[in-house]
C-alpha cells in the first residue's frame, strides 16, 4: 500500500506544486490516479460505480480524506461536480461508467462546457484487447466526449498516466477553463509499476494590458458621452465584483448583466446597477440604443435564446471587450478595442487611470448623472416590483411571483445560497434577490434542464454548513429527482422548493406565442399528477405540500431552520 500523499498547503484551486513521489515506487494505476487527484486539490470524487470502476472503488480505502459522493445516475454525477465547482471556483472530478454512463452524462457535460467548469471527467473502460471482442457496454469513449471538452484521451500505458492526469488538471484550470475527459481501461488501473507521479502546474493568467493600452482604454471611456457596462461570468471567475463596482462608480456608467444571467455577476445594490438584459432582441436593441459605447466585462454580452428577425445590437454602437475567453470577443459583432486580459487585474489598473485623466470633469459628470441612475436602478425597481407583487399575495392558486418574492426574502434573511431553475414561475428571481457574494447565486446557464436538483448537492458540499435553497420548476425537477437521495444521505441543509404548475408551462407559453395554438399536447402532468412529497419521502427526505399563500413564508422558514434537507411542493398558478 503506498504512503498517504501530503495534502497541498495552498488553496485547492491553486495547489502548491510539490512532487508527491520524486523517486519511482511500485504503485497500482488505481492508487496513483487517486493520489494525483488528491494532490491536485480534489476533495470530493463524484461518481456512480460500475464493474469497470471497481479498481477505483477498491483504492478509495487508501484515501480516507477523499470523499466519494454517489449519485444515482451519471447525468447527476456531473451536475453535482459542476455545482461544487461553481460554488467554490475549484477543480472538480467525476467518474462515470463506460459508454452508456458517459452517454447519460453528456447533457450535464454540455452544461459544464457552457459555464467553463474546470472538471476532470473519467470513465472506466473495458480492458485493452478485450474491447476488440466488442463486449457488452463497450464503445470508443474519446469520440463521444470530444465535442464537449477541451481535451480527451484514453490511457494506453500505465507509464503515461501521471503525464495525462497532470496535463488534464492544467488544461481544465487554464482560462478559458472547462472540462476534460480521460478514459481509464481496467488493465491500466490494475497494473502496477514504478511511477514518478509528477507535480501540479497552474498557469497564472492574471495579466493586465500594457500601460499604453490602459491609457487608450481610459481615453476611449472618457470620450464616450453615454457609456454602458455589460458584465458576465468572468467577473465571478476572476473575483472582480469589487473592481467592477469601483469602475461603475468612477465612470458613473449604468451596468447591465448579460442576458444569460446564471451567476452573481455584479453587486445588485450598487447604485449604477440596472438589472439583467432581457433575452428578447427588440427589447435589448431599445435599451442599448440609449448609449454610445458598450464595455463588455468578461461577458458574451448579447447571447440570446430564440430567433428574432430583430438584431439586438443597435447600429453604430462602439464596443470594447475585456476578458480571457477569446471566443466571446467579437464573436458576432466588431469590437473597437479587444483586450485579452484578466478582468480583475485590468480594472484595478484602469480605475486609477480614469480618475487621474478624468479629474474634476469626470467627477462632475458622475455627480450630475447619479440622481437619474438612482431612480432607475435595481434597488428602485425591486421596491416597485415588491409593492406590485404584494397586491396579489392572497391569490389562489398561489401566484408564481408571490412564491418568488417569498423565496428571495427567505434566502436573503438566512444568507442562503440560491440555486435557481424556475424558468417561468421564478421569472423575477433576478429582480428580487440581491447578489452580495461571489458564489451566492447559481442559475441554469445553458438551457439544458434538470441541472439544479443535483447541482444543489454539489453547491452545499462546497459550502459546508451554509443553507441552500434550490428553486426549481416541476418539469425540470423530474429530470433528476433521484438526486434527493444524495442530499438526504449526506444530510445537507438544502431546501428544495418545487414550483408545481402541473406541466411544461414554458413550452405552452411559446406554443401560444409563436404558433398561436393552445393545443398543449404532451405538456401536462395529469392523470396521474406527480406526487412530489411521496417521491421525496421515498428518497429519505421530509416534504410538505403548500397550497395556501399565507403558508409559503412559514414553510420556507421551517425548511431553512432545519438541520437537513426538506422538500416544499408549492402548488402555483399554471395559467398560460
Amino acid at each position: 500500500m503506498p504512503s498517504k500523499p501530503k495534502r497541498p498547503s495552498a488553496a485547492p484551486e491553486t495547489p502548491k506544486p510539490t512532487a508527491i513521489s520524486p523517486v519511482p515506487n511500485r504503485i497500482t494505476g488505481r492508487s496513483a490516479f487517486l493520489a494525483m487527484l488528491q494532490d491536485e486539490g480534489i476533495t470530493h470524487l463524484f461518481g456512480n460505480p460500475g464493474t469497470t470502476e471497481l479498481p477505483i472503488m477498491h483504492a478509495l480505502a487508501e484515501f480516507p480524506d477523499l470523499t466519494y459522493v454517489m449519485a444515482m445516475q451519471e447525468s447527476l454525477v456531473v451536475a453535482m461536480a459542476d455545482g461544487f465547482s461553481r460554488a467554490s471556483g475549484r477543480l472538480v472530478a467525476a467518474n462515470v461508467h463506460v459508454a452508456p454512463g458517459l452517454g447519460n452524462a453528456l447533457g450535464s457535460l454540455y452544461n459544464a462546457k457552457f459555464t467553463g467548469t474546470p472538471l476532470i471527467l473519467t470513465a472506466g473502460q473495458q480492458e485493452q484487447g478485450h474491447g476488440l471482442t466488442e463486449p457488452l457496454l463497450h464503445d470508443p469513449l474519446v469520440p463521444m466526449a470530444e465535442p464537449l471538452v477541451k481535451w480527451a484521451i484514453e490511457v494506453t500505458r500505465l507509464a503515461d498516466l501521471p503525464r495525462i492526469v497532470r496535463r488534464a488538471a492544467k488544461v481544465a484550470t487554464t482560462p478559458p477553463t472547462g472540462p476534460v475527459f480521460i478514459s481509464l481501461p481496467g488493465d491500466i488501473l490494475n497494473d502496477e509499476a514504478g511511477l514518478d507521479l509528477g507535480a501540479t502546474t497552474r498557469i497564472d493568467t492574471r495579466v493586465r494590458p500594457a500601460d499604453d493600452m490602459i491609457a487608450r482604454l481610459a481615453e476611449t471611456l472618457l470620450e464616450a458621452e453615454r457609456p454602458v457596462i455589460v458584465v458576465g461570468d468572468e467577473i465571478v471567475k476572476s473575483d472582480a465584483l469589487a473592481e467592477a463596482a469601483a469602475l461603475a462608480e468612477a465612470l458613473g456608467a449604468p451596468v447591465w448583466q448579460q442576458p444569460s444571467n446564471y451567476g452573481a455577476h455584479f453587486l445588485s445594490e450598487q447604485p449604477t446597477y440596472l438589472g439583467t438584459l432581457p433575452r428578447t432582441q427588440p427589447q435589448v436593441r431599445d435599451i442599448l440604443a440609449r448609449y454610445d459605447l458598450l464595455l463588455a466585462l468578461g461577458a458574451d454580452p448579447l447571447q440570446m435564446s430564440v430567433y428574432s428577425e430583430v438584431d439586438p445590437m443597435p447600429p453604430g454602437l462602439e464596443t470594447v471587450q475585456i476578458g480571457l475567453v477569446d471566443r466571446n470577443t467579437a464573436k458576432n459583432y466588431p469590437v473597437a478595442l479587444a483586450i485579452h486580459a484578466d478582468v480583475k487585474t485590468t480594472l484595478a489598473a484602469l480605475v486609477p487611470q480614469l480618475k487621474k485623466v478624468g479629474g474634476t470633469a469626470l467627477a462632475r459628470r458622475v455627480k450630475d448623472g447619479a440622481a437619474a441612475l438612482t431612480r432607475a436602478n435595481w434597488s428602485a425597481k425591486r421596491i416597485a416590483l415588491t409593492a406590485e407583487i404584494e397586491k396579489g399575495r392572497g391569490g389562489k392558486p398561489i401566484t408564481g411571483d408571490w412564491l418568488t418574492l417569498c423565496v428571495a426574502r427567505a434566502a436573503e434573511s438566512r444568507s442562503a445560497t440560491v440555486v435557481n431553475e424556475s424558468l417561468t414561475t421564478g421569472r423575477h428571481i433576478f429582480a428580487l434577490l440581491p447578489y452580495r457574494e461571489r458564489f451566492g447565486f447559481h442559475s441554469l446557464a445553458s438551457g439544458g434542464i434538470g441541472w439544479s436538483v443535483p447541482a444543489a448537492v454539489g453547491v452545499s458540499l462546497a459550502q459546508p454548513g451554509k443553507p441552500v435553497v434550490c428553486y426549481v420548476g416541476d418539469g425540470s425537477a423530474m429530470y433528476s429527482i433521484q438526486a434527493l437521495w444524495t442530499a438526504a444521505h449526506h444530510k445537507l441543509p438544502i431546501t428544495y422548493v418545487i414550483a408545481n404548475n402541473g406541466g411544461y408551462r414554458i413550452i405552452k407559453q411559446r406554443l401560444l406565442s409563436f404558433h398561436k395554438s393552445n393545443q398543449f399536447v404532451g405538456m401536462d402532468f395529469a392523470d396521474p399528477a406527480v406526487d412530489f412529497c411521496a417521491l421525496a419521502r421515498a428518497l429519505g427526505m421530509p416534504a410538505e405540500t403548500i397550497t395556501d399563500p399565507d403558508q409559503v413564508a412559514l414553510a420556507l422558514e421551517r425548511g431553512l431552520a432545519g438541520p437537513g434537507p426538506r422538500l416544499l411542493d408549492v402548488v402555483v398558478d399554471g395559467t398560460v
Side-chain angles (χ1 to χ4, degrees):
M1 179 180 297
S3 60
K4 179 181 175 182
K6 294 180 180 180
R7 297 297 309 279
S9 59
E13 60 269 36
T14 53
K16 186 177 179 180
T18 55
I20 60 176
S21 57
V23 179
N25 60 300
R26 301 292 294 183
I27 187 171
T28 62
R30 59 184 180 261
S31 295
F33 171 67
L34 294 179
M36 287 184 287
L37 285 188
Q38 196 167 57
D39 189 56
E40 291 288 348
I42 300 297
T43 57
H44 295 72
L45 177 59
F46 298 87
N48 180 267
T51 303
T52 53
E53 289 71 49
L54 289 180
I56 292 173
M57 307 311 293
H58 177 190
L60 278 170
E62 304 167 22
F63 300 89
D65 293 336
L66 184 58
T67 301
Y68 187 82
V69 182
M70 193 273 278
M72 291 182 162
Q73 205 256 15
E74 289 88 354
S75 65
L76 281 59
V77 168
V78 174
M80 289 178 188
D82 187 16
F84 188 102
S85 181
R86 285 182 60 179
S88 64
R90 292 162 52 184
L91 176 69
V92 288
N95 185 60
V96 298
H97 180 48
V98 291
L102 179 58
N104 287 339
L106 291 182
S108 291
L109 189 59
Y110 172 78
N111 291 341
K113 174 193 175 185
F114 190 96
T115 51
T117 299
L119 161 70
I120 298 176
L121 177 62
T122 59
Q125 176 62 295
Q126 305 284 0
E127 290 80 1
Q128 296 177 100
H130 183 47
L132 183 63
T133 69
E134 299 186 0
L136 294 175
L137 304 175
H138 179 270
D139 227 322
L141 301 182
V142 169
M144 293 175 63
E146 275 181 323
L148 300 177
V149 298
K150 293 181 67 178
W151 184 53
I153 193 169
E154 181 166 286
V155 185
T156 57
R157 298 191 312 155
L158 178 56
D160 294 333
L161 182 64
R163 177 170 291 151
I164 287 172
V165 172
R166 298 302 188 177
R167 185 185 298 178
K170 185 266 296 185
V171 170
T173 56
T174 301
T177 57
V180 296
F181 174 75
I182 305 173
S183 172
L184 297 172
D187 55 307
I188 298 293
L189 294 173
N190 287 322
D191 200 1
E192 183 176 315
L195 294 176
D196 180 348
L197 299 187
T200 296
T201 298
R202 292 291 184 271
I203 298 177
D204 188 344
T205 58
R206 293 173 296 176
V207 294
R208 48 150 286 185
D211 289 344
D212 62 334
M213 180 54 73
I214 290 289
R216 185 180 171 191
L217 177 57
E219 181 183 350
T220 300
L221 293 173
L222 290 170
E223 286 177 350
E225 295 180 2
R226 300 177 309 280
V228 64
I229 299 170
V230 177
V231 291
D233 183 54
E234 287 187 69
I235 296 291
V236 171
K237 282 190 168 64
S238 67
D239 193 14
L241 280 172
E243 289 76 9
L247 172 66
E249 182 179 347
L251 192 59
V255 179
W256 293 89
Q257 188 177 18
Q258 66 183 24
S260 53
N261 49 342
Y262 52 86
H265 298 156
F266 199 77
L267 298 172
S268 306
E269 293 151 310
Q270 203 274 346
T272 67
Y273 181 61
L274 301 188
T276 300
L277 285 174
R279 293 190 187 183
T280 55
Q281 289 88 331
Q283 287 181 282
V284 172
R285 187 184 181 96
D286 288 345
I287 290 171
L288 295 182
R290 309 167 193 167
Y291 310 110
D292 62 353
L293 177 72
L294 188 160
L295 172 60
L297 297 179
D300 186 350
L302 297 178
Q303 186 171 47
M304 296 294 155
S305 178
V306 299
Y307 170 76
S308 171
E309 294 181 355
V310 177
D311 195 298
M313 177 67 82
L317 180 59
E318 187 176 12
T319 302
V320 173
Q321 277 189 267
I322 303 170
L324 292 173
V325 183
D326 289 343
R327 67 176 177 268
N328 287 340
T329 301
K331 182 166 68 175
N332 294 310
Y333 305 98
V335 171
L337 289 180
I339 301 173
H340 177 90
D342 174 67
V343 174
K344 182 185 182 76
T345 309
T346 300
L347 297 187
L350 174 61
V351 171
Q353 181 72 10
L354 273 174
K355 292 180 177 179
K356 175 184 175 182
V357 178
T360 56
L362 175 60
R364 191 181 311 113
R365 187 175 81 174
V366 170
K367 183 178 180 180
D368 291 344
L373 280 173
T374 300
R375 288 193 299 269
N377 67 13
W378 182 89
S379 296
K381 292 175 183 176
R382 179 168 78 149
I383 292 171
L385 178 60
T386 298
E388 187 63 29
I389 294 172
E390 286 276 8
K391 294 177 184 177
R393 64 179 295 171
K396 293 186 179 181
I398 299 168
T399 67
D401 293 347
W402 174 246
L403 172 58
T404 302
L405 179 59
C406 291
V407 168
R409 284 173 167 170
E412 183 180 357
S413 69
R414 290 277 183 169
S415 298
T417 296
V418 172
V419 179
N420 174 61
E421 195 180 350
S422 181
L423 304 181
T424 58
T425 300
R427 60 179 180 155
H428 289 313
I429 190 68
F430 311 102
L432 295 169
L433 180 73
Y435 304 151
R436 293 172 178 163
E437 302 175 33
R438 176 187 179 195
F439 298 129
F441 177 81
H442 309 279
S443 195
L444 176 68
S446 73
I449 67 174
W451 168 83
S452 64
V453 177
V457 172
V459 168
S460 184
L461 289 167
Q463 301 177 352
K466 187 175 184 183
V468 173
V469 175
C470 178
Y471 187 26
V472 57
D474 50 353
S476 293
M478 285 306 298
Y479 272 61
S480 51
I481 197 68
Q482 63 267 49
L484 298 181
W485 180 88
T486 307
H489 177 71
H490 289 272
K491 300 177 174 58
L492 300 175
I494 306 172
T495 301
Y496 286 97
V497 182
I498 308 293
N500 187 348
N501 58 34
Y504 297 124
R505 188 177 182 223
I506 190 171
I507 303 302
K508 294 179 182 180
Q509 290 175 337
R510 289 181 173 180
L511 182 67
L512 189 61
S513 176
F514 300 162
H515 298 276
K516 312 305 178 188
S517 171
N518 61 359
Q519 300 301 306
F520 302 134
V521 178
M523 303 178 195
D524 290 300
F525 305 158
D527 194 23
V530 177
D531 189 339
F532 283 97
C533 289
L535 284 170
R537 293 182 188 117
L539 294 167
M541 187 177 296
E544 60 179 302
T545 297
I546 298 98
T547 59
D548 184 344
D550 292 332
Q551 293 300 312
V552 174
L554 295 172
L556 283 163
E557 181 61 28
R558 286 193 296 273
L560 286 165
R566 189 177 187 88
L567 182 139
L568 307 178
D569 175 22
V570 185
V571 180
V572 295
D573 186 9
T575 303
V576 178

